[in-house]
Amino acid sequence: MASAFPKLPGFVPTQEIDKPNFRKVSSTKQEQNREINHLPNKEYAVPRKQPIQIPPQSGMFNPDYMSTTHAMHLPKNSNNDSEELYQPSWVKMDRHVLRFSGYFKEAVVESALENYRIRKITIFYYLEDHSLSITEPKQENSGVPQGAFLKRQKVLRADNSKTFILPEDFRINQDIIIFGKTIRLFDCDQYTREFYELQGIPQEPSFVPQSDSFETKTMTKFIPQKDTVMKDYLEHKLGGGKVTSQKQFLENDRKVLKFYVFSDIDYILHYYLADDTIEIKEINSANSGRVPFPMMLRRQKLPRKFSLNQPGQTYAEDFIRPQDIQYGQPLIIYNRKVLIKGCDQFTRQYYFEKFNVDFPLGGQEEYVHQERSNIIIPPHNGIGDEQDSLGYIYRLQPKPPKKDFFKWVDNQVNLRFLAMFNTTKPEDKDRVFVITFFLNDDSLLIYEPTVRNSGIPDGKFLEKRKYKNVNNNNEFFTPGDLIVGNEVQINGWKFQLLDCDEFTKKWYSENFK
């Protein structure tokens, strides 16, 4: 019967309403596939439905309607089941996957350890299009490439029926042939069991597959044990690590107990309350004949019992505590007896407040090097800086003098003055100089400007350094010594200060009132 409707999908009332596409298939492809690709996928009742993913409604004029989907004009709050009635199978079965665990035997040649190996795999069967994929869990040192075993695709049955594998072909404790591999299924997940129970063909119970020589002998399961003591030791050795108790560190930081001990000679024992460490220092004196070895025992935690274990394998409760140090009792330090003779005032007060023990004072103090008073300081010869030259008097290998860093940073200011020679010589009466005073280090620089046809070379007149004021007890020049109108004598030269720049006038008005 002829129809007046146009031959377009959606305008012919006699067409199948659930037909998804209208493409033509070539006769060659139809001959190759026969009835395989053109038969609709079988639909199954699923135990649980996937949650509906509503697309975002941002930018829609009416938020009560969904954006463009399979049901364009269906409100999102509608309970109409007509949409599900005409859904294609690949939409109903979307994201519904069956999972099976299986294994197959593979022969191993030229190996004295094993004759075969059991390779365990996981099969994923997708109900959407009846395709499947296979993955193999990776084993350490297996020697075979593992991971993706078979990419997702449809697989034909091995009985030459030219039909694809369906869910009915998967049964626990039975074999299934996939591309020539005979795979025995031994387990499946809970959703797969619910799916088969809903179809009326429940799966058999799972079982544990047999093991091979590689799994029982070669694959030794190593369970790593964390050695926290060794880790802490290595971190402290590299300069890191943490204090066991942060509260102990914060309360006792820089609090040190000092004991006077004796063992063939006198020593000083320091106990650091911040981390319970101990160090022992030798008492060195001048002309004692002994090598000035600074430490008899470097700073460390001292164990009660001496044992040759691995580094760091001494537990915290075996360390010596302040209550273990008693007056008159020997202290065993690595099998060496050390006698406690006394302590200082801070240690005595700590023991009295903490343990109610009156620890006696006493012991030999450290030798304090007295400064020699017979050093004769020669007068400065005017070459170089005087502070730099004094370093050769006090030390055989001098150190550069320390500068006041904060003064250097905070006073990046220069004061400039105009000056002339205070002399009666006719050739020097008209010479003009610029005196610059640097506030960051109290140094002076004198510069002579260019005067044409004077016959006197211009440029630097005096090097920048600190100069002494002979009119002020040979003290170094300060801004108070440079006043406009006064006469100053710098390095033997007399200058009359005539004027200064605007910044210098402003600085003097703010600092000298």
Side-chain angles (χ1 to χ4, degrees), residues 76-181:
K76 59 182 180 179
N77 297 325
S78 175
N79 296 325
N80 192 2
D81 296 334
S82 60
E83 180 187 10
E84 184 179 357
L85 179 62
Y86 296 106
Q87 277 185 345
S89 60
W90 56 270
V91 175
K92 294 180 181 179
M93 298 292 128
D94 184 27
R95 294 179 294 165
H96 290 274
V97 183
L98 307 180
R99 186 174 64 177
F100 298 90
S101 299
Y103 69 92
F104 66 92
K105 288 185 179 181
E106 185 179 49
V108 178
V109 296
E110 298 181 358
S111 176
L113 299 177
E114 54 184 346
N115 297 325
Y116 64 91
R117 182 173 299 181
I118 295 179
R119 300 181 62 176
K120 298 178 181 179
I121 58 176
T122 303
I123 303 175
F124 297 93
Y125 189 88
Y126 302 89
L127 297 174
E128 173 188 351
D129 55 355
H130 297 292
S131 61
L132 59 89
S133 64
I134 303 177
T135 60
E136 182 179 7
K138 293 185 178 182
Q139 290 178 313
E140 188 177 2
N141 300 324
S142 64
V144 293
Q146 295 173 326
F149 191 83
L150 179 67
K151 66 178 183 179
R152 181 176 175 179
Q153 57 184 290
K154 288 185 177 183
V155 180
L156 293 174
R157 290 193 177 102
D159 55 359
N160 295 325
S161 62
K162 295 185 180 181
T163 56
F164 294 122
I165 294 178
L166 297 177
E168 293 81 3
D169 299 327
F170 294 93
R171 304 299 298 171
I172 300 296
N173 202 12
Q174 291 185 11
D175 296 336
I176 183 172
I177 301 176
I178 300 177
F179 289 123
K181 295 286 185 182

Side-chain angles (χ1 to χ4, degrees), residues 30 32-41 154 156 161-164:
Q30 289 182 8
Q32 291 177 354
N33 299 332
R34 287 293 180 179
E35 298 178 354
I36 296 176
N37 286 339
H38 300 288
L39 289 177
N41 294 329
K154 288 185 177 183
L156 293 174
S161 62
K162 295 185 180 181
T163 56
F164 294 122

